[in-house]
Structures are given as C-alpha cells and as structure tokens.
Amino acid sequence: MKHMLSLMDWSQEELLEVLKLSEEMRDKHTHDLKGKTATMLFEKPSTRTRVSFEVGIAHMSGHPMYMDATTSQMSRGESTKDMALVMNRYVDMFVARVNSHKFLVEFAKWSKMPVINALSDLFHPCQALADVLTMKRKKGDDKLVVSFVGDGDNNVTHSLMLASSLLGYEMRVGCPDKFRPNASVIAKCKQNHQKYGGELTITTDPIEAVRETDVVYADVWVSMGRDDTDERLKIFEKYQINSDLVKNAKQDYVFMHCLPAHIGQEVTEDIIYSKQSVVFDQAENRLHAQKGLMKFLLSEKQI
Ligand code: CP
Ligand code: NVA
C-alpha cells in the first residue's frame, strides 16, 4: 500500500499523476470518501493543514475526525504499534502531524490504511505538492530554477528539494553551513537529478542562491519544536528575503512561503504583500493538492 510519508520513495510519474488529479479535483465535490472516516492526528499546532484537510475530506464526502495527541493515550505512552492496530479497526485513512518522523514510519508499518504525513521534523510533503502545483500554474511546465533561502535543515526545505528534483528543476538552497539540508535528502535529490535532469546547489551565499531564479522561497527561521531561537535569529540575519536580495532574481520571479510567516525576519512586508508574492494561492493549493493526493492513495490504479 502506498503512503505519503515523504517524497523519498516517490517517482516522477507518481508525482505528476498526483498533480494531474489535483487539478481535476480543484473545485470538485466527489464521493471518493463516502462512508469513510479519515483521522487527523495533531501533535503540533496548525491552521492551513488542519482546515484544508478537513474541508478536502468533506469535499470528498468523507468524515474528517480531528484527534488531539495531548488528549489521546499517545500522550501517556501507548505504543505506536498498538495505536495503528487499533485505528485499523475504525478508520480508513490516517493523516498525522507529529514531532518525530519515526512515529510515521512505525505507524505505517502496521497500518492497513493510507498514512499521510501532515508535517514531521524531517518532511512536509503535502506542502511540497501544493508548492509545485502553484509553480506549474504560475509558470507553466517549463523547467524552473527554484531557490530556497534560510534554514536548509528544515522539513519544508527537504520536501521542496525532493519535489524539485523529481521534476528536474534546478534547485538552490542558500543557508548557513551549520544548517545544511539532511545528507540523505541531498543524496536522494542528486540521484533524482541524474535521472530527471536539473541540479542541486547548496551555498552559504544568499545572492548566489537567488541569482536569475524563477522562484524565491522562504520559511521561518525557527521551526516548531526548536529551542535555539537566539542563535538562529542572529545566524539567519543575512538570509532575509528583502528588496535588495530579490534584485538578483529574474524580473518575473515569484515569492513563495509555506506560512505562517514571521514578517521582519525571513521576509519583509513589502515582499510578502507584493504583486509577485503568490503565498495565498499557494495556501489555497494545499486544499487541491491534498484532494489529489487522497484520490491517488485511494485509487486502485496507483502507479
Ligand atoms: N504551511 C502549513 O503547514 O501551515 P500550518 O502549520 O498552518 O498547517
Ligand atoms: N518549518 C516550519 C513549517 C511550518 C508549516 C515548522 O516546522 O514549524
């Protein structure tokens, strides 16, 4: 059974199929989840992910069930294996935002239903689906140059790198040396680039990262669960997306951010609310991309 824990084990063909289904599901109400329950477990806060999944499941005639980790037996140490074996008896799909990616891997091992990562410490694949869906709508099907500037060792960065490599885009990550992306993600992206084209550059120079790029992408400098805020705010200062930095990008670049943003830190107000910012279309596309993903995972003709 196919899950969406990360894009590490996805092919270009599968990703393109999900993107195609996402466009087909845009503004559509279906019966794909009729009579089915999809549980949404959250160990961390969320606005977009919770609401877009809840609405998307309802659009597909399913019952979205919110589960707060702190009020479940998970908070008292019930094993992940037992939780999965029990949930198998009640529900048909399991969406989870968790502290540790290991939880998802273990849960999926015992799960009889599709498991979807709604963000973990390592990956945020649903975000990346919406990101590339947005890029394709804004820029068409050409090969793009995508630049992420900020925290390289970050769930959003990792998933964006993987999605870009599967599409053969040129991906650049501008980050401090101490906050480089995870080595196994870099290795997987390099493999994908060999197969699908494009390349990955990691640089400590934010100007080099955004030079002549189509997409300038930012995320917060301090992700949920990190406790080294003071050090990060200092070290990331020169990685702010502002009007000086974007002068180096292509004239028609688009600005993207997974949100929530910390305006004045990773991005300035003039950039995030500029005409070239697509952050709210990007947020909307979470809904369409997740409907496409759920449709794909439920379909028998998974590639
Ligand atoms: N981008 C994103 O996942 O937002 P939430 O944390 O609000 O779900
Ligand atoms: N990297 C951020 C993404 C939030 C959607 C975090 O993990 O907090």
Side-chain angles (χ1 to χ4, degrees):
M1 176 184 309
K2 191 87 186 157
H3 302 290
M4 176 50 103
L5 305 190
S6 78
L7 287 163
M8 290 286 271
D9 55 355
W10 277 57
S11 68
Q12 182 185 70
E13 203 185 357
E14 291 168 329
L15 173 57
L16 289 175
E17 179 66 16
V18 170
L19 295 177
K20 191 179 118 221
L21 290 171
S22 306
E23 284 302 347
E24 283 170 20
M25 294 292 279
R26 189 177 283 273
D27 305 324
K28 230 196 218 164
H29 289 222
T30 68
H31 288 131
D32 293 296
L33 281 167
K34 197 172 166 61
K36 296 187 197 273
T37 298
T39 295
M40 311 183 303
L41 170 76
F42 281 81
E43 258 193 306
K44 289 177 174 184
S46 169
T47 297
R48 278 143 291 271
T49 308
R50 180 194 171 166
V51 175
S52 57
F53 263 110
E54 194 156 336
V55 170
I57 292 161
H59 281 189
M60 293 166 76
S61 310
H63 168 56
M65 195 192 90
Y66 182 76
M67 189 174 169
D68 175 1
T70 58
T71 55
S72 82
Q73 296 291 3
M74 191 180 171
S75 65
R76 296 181 59 249
E78 184 170 19
S79 77
T80 307
K81 175 178 173 179
D82 286 1
M83 188 171 171
L85 294 175
V86 170
M87 296 307 278
N88 280 339
R89 306 292 177 107
Y90 305 135
V91 299
D92 306 284
M93 187 174 277
F94 195 75
V95 179
R97 168 167 288 196
V98 293
N99 290 319
S100 168
H101 192 72
K102 290 191 186 112
F103 171 91
L104 294 171
V105 175
E106 172 72 2
F107 192 98
K109 192 169 144 194
W110 303 104
S111 176
K112 290 206 170 110
M113 61 205 147
V115 179
I116 299 178
N117 178 359
L119 181 148
S120 67
D121 52 341
L122 282 181
F123 299 106
H124 196 359
C126 296
Q127 182 66 53
L129 294 179
D131 295 343
V132 290
L133 190 67
T134 308
M135 289 178 206
K136 283 190 171 292
R137 281 181 76 78
K138 298 289 171 190
K139 295 278 176 196
D141 286 329
D142 290 347
K143 299 275 162 153
L144 300 175
V145 185
V146 178
S147 305
F148 180 94
V149 178
D151 181 7
D153 183 17
N154 171 312
N155 42 21
V156 169
T157 322
H158 291 153
S159 293
L160 183 66
M161 287 165 63
L162 287 162
S164 296
S165 67
L166 287 170
L167 295 177
Y169 289 175
E170 183 181 337
M171 175 82 208
R172 311 213 198 109
V173 180
C175 61
D177 208 32
K178 190 173 170 190
F179 295 95
R180 283 169 62 85
N182 176 292
S184 59
V185 176
I186 294 177
K188 184 68 199 177
C189 289
K190 288 192 170 160
Q191 253 180 36
N192 287 340
H193 283 302
Q194 274 187 352
K195 205 162 163 188
Y196 304 123
E199 61 179 327
L200 170 67
T201 306
I202 297 169
T203 170
T204 54
D205 179 358
I207 295 176
E208 189 192 334
V210 303
R211 192 164 284 136
E212 287 300 305
T213 193
D214 296 295
V215 177
V216 177
Y217 198 119
D219 185 12
V220 291
W221 291 339
V222 190
S223 284
M224 293 180 276
R226 305 271 191 206
D227 57 8
D228 48 356
T229 305
D230 291 348
E231 184 198 354
R232 282 169 174 266
L233 294 188
K234 224 181 199 160
I235 209 166
F236 284 115
E237 223 168 70
K238 74 169 197 179
Y239 295 89
Q240 184 184 67
I241 315 273
N242 54 36
S243 52
D244 275 341
L245 187 66
V246 298
K247 278 185 195 137
N248 299 284
K250 280 190 187 153
Q251 268 207 330
D252 64 347
Y253 84 93
V254 290
F255 174 73
M256 298 183 73
H257 193 306
C258 55
L259 304 177
H262 284 163
I263 294 174
Q265 289 184 15
E266 74 273 7
V267 62
T268 53
E269 189 169 358
D270 56 333
I271 298 292
I272 197 167
Y273 297 119
S274 70
K275 281 205 186 101
Q276 285 175 252
S277 170
V278 299
V279 298
F280 298 108
D281 290 331
Q282 185 185 353
E284 179 190 321
N285 283 327
R286 291 292 304 276
L287 171 64
H288 311 308
Q290 288 157 192
K291 282 164 72 180
L293 173 65
M294 290 189 279
K295 174 111 185 161
F296 178 80
L297 295 177
L298 290 166
S299 80
E300 278 164 23
K301 74 163 193 63
Q302 283 171 23
I303 297 159

